[in-house]
């Protein structure tokens, strides 16, 4: 076959698309902000960012998915949506972590925006899903509990098999990683928060991944009609507020201004963060109950 004339070959080379090298390692917050500008959806792909030491957010623009790395394997907390899983896996690999080295999956609560991707992540990693007795039925069925305030307002998702039950105050250990479960029902019946210590050299911080505390519901639900559930949520709010934490992370990053803090526009470390988070949740619950009472009075 005759070679192409030089002018034609040069034109073809000049018109060929240029492919940037695949990035590796955690993204800068500038890259994260560019990719997530105007986006905060459950499945909008975001690059991975380091939060502190061996703790990374590998989730979407609007949903936190935490990767905690260790020498004996890694732990992933939450799974965003099923649609977000390919990007989550790509983020894990970008950090130089093999998905099959993720040994445990943990969960905050059993709603589609946080648990919808757990089944697919379990398939990709082979990891064991660890959950509380209360969360297990919903995580495995993919359906909100009967007493969940958001039942009827959330879609079902593909359930994931729970391989181990964890009790309140029990510690999940993987090599040097030690994460403690705190059962925090209220936003959902199976809500769970997690705490542990992470160290960057001699700089150690108490991290709390506090479950959502917001009093939100499907249309037509009145919290005032469920005093026992309100009491449970109040107890959970008090429990989270009493946790010792230097660095607060939440399933919805906006709930704790995570990205602003990582960008340096607000303090990342705050020993009163859990107390402030709980105080805001308590205020919002009181406002919700007041609105419900006002609506009844106005009829």
């Amino acid at each position: 076959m005759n070679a192409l004339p030089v002018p034609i070959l040069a034109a073809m080379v000049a018109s060929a698309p240029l492919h940037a090298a695949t990035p590796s390692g955690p993204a800068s917050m500038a890259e994260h902000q560019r990719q997530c500008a105007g986006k905060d959806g459950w499945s909008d792909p975001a690059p991975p960012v380091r939060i502190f030491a061996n703790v990374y957010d590998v989730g979407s623009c609007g949903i936190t998915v935490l990767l905690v790395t260790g020498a004996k394997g890694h732990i992933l907390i939450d799974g965003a949506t099923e649609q977000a899983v390919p990007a989550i896996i790509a983020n894990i690999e970008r950090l130089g972590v093999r998905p099959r080295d993720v040994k445990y999956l943990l969960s905050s609560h059993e709603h589609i925006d946080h648990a919808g991707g757990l089944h697919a992540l379990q398939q990709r990693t082979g990891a064991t899903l660890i959950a509380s007795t209360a969360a297990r039925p919903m995580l495995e069925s993919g359906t909100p509990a009967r007493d969940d305030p958001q039942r009827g307002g959330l879609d079902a998702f593909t359930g994931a098999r729970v391989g181990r039950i964890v009790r309140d105050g029990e510690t999940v250990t993987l090599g040097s990683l030690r994460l403690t479960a705190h059962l925090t029902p209220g936003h959902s019946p199976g809500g769970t928060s997690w705490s542990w210590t992470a160290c960057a050299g001699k700089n150690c911080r108490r991290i709390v991944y506090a479950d959502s505390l917001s009093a939100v519901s499907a249309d037509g639900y009145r919290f005032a009609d469920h005093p026992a559930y309100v009491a449970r949520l109040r107890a959970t709010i008090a429990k989270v507020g009493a946790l010792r934490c230097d660095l607060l992370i939440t399933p919805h990053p906006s709930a704790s201004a995570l990205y602003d803090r990582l960008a340096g526009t607000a303090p990342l470390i705050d020993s009163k963060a859990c107390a402030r988070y709980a105080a805001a949740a308590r205020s919002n619950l009181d406002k919700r109950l007041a609105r419900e009472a006002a609506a009844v009075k106005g009829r």
Side-chain angles (χ1 to χ4, degrees):
M1 182 179 294
N2 294 331
L4 290 172
V6 172
I8 295 177
L9 182 60
M12 290 175 63
V13 171
S15 62
L18 297 176
H19 299 284
T22 302
S24 62
S28 65
M29 279 310 298
E31 180 187 345
H32 191 282
Q33 289 170 333
R34 286 195 302 272
Q35 189 162 327
C36 289
K39 303 174 185 176
D40 61 1
W42 296 348
S43 306
D44 289 327
V49 291
R50 186 195 300 270
I51 297 177
F52 178 77
N54 62 331
V55 182
Y56 303 85
D57 180 10
V58 295
S60 64
C61 291
I63 299 293
T64 306
V65 177
L66 288 186
L67 177 69
V68 186
T69 62
K72 299 294 185 180
H74 319 298
I75 296 175
L76 198 64
I77 313 180
D78 279 343
T81 64
E82 185 175 359
Q83 293 74 22
V85 168
I88 293 171
I89 292 295
N91 284 343
I92 292 171
E93 292 176 332
R94 172 172 169 171
L95 294 173
V97 172
R98 296 185 304 179
R100 283 284 167 180
D101 288 337
V102 174
K103 302 303 182 183
Y104 292 145
L105 298 177
L106 309 181
S107 171
S108 60
H109 64 271
E110 61 281 8
H111 290 161
I112 187 173
D113 46 339
H114 309 284
L118 290 176
H119 175 266
L121 285 168
Q122 196 171 51
Q123 296 299 305
R124 293 293 300 271
T125 64
T128 299
L129 175 58
I130 301 175
S132 69
T133 298
R136 181 177 186 171
M138 292 78 79
L139 290 173
E140 293 194 332
S141 68
T143 305
R146 291 184 179 276
D147 60 340
D148 192 322
Q150 294 190 62
R151 184 180 175 90
L154 292 172
D155 292 334
F157 55 89
T158 303
R161 185 178 64 82
V162 174
R164 173 181 160 187
I165 296 297
V166 68
R167 299 182 301 275
D168 187 37
E170 185 176 349
T171 297
V172 173
T173 301
L174 181 62
S176 62
L177 303 180
R178 297 176 57 83
L179 279 67
T180 300
H182 306 273
L183 304 191
T184 47
H187 180 77
S188 77
T192 307
S193 299
W194 298 90
S195 67
W196 67 98
T197 298
C199 297
K202 295 183 178 180
N203 180 19
C204 295
R205 298 295 181 180
R206 295 167 299 192
I207 298 180
V208 171
Y209 186 57
D211 190 21
S212 298
L213 300 178
S214 52
V216 295
S217 69
D219 293 342
Y221 183 95
R222 283 172 31 89
F223 280 89
D225 295 335
H226 305 273
Y229 200 94
V230 171
R232 194 189 321 177
L233 178 54
R234 286 196 185 280
T236 278
I237 290 172
K239 184 175 185 177
V240 170
L243 291 175
R244 300 174 64 197
C245 66
D246 302 313
L247 202 168
L248 172 68
I249 310 170
T250 50
H252 290 272
S254 58
S256 52
L258 177 63
Y259 297 148
D260 290 338
R261 290 156 55 214
L262 289 175
T265 59
L268 178 63
I269 306 301
D270 178 4
S271 63
K272 298 183 183 300
C274 284
R276 297 183 203 280
Y277 181 56
R282 188 178 300 112
S283 175
N284 289 336
L285 174 58
D286 290 341
K287 290 176 182 177
R288 169 67 186 257
L289 291 169
R291 289 196 301 270
E292 291 179 356
V296 170
K297 188 176 180 179
R299 288 177 184 171

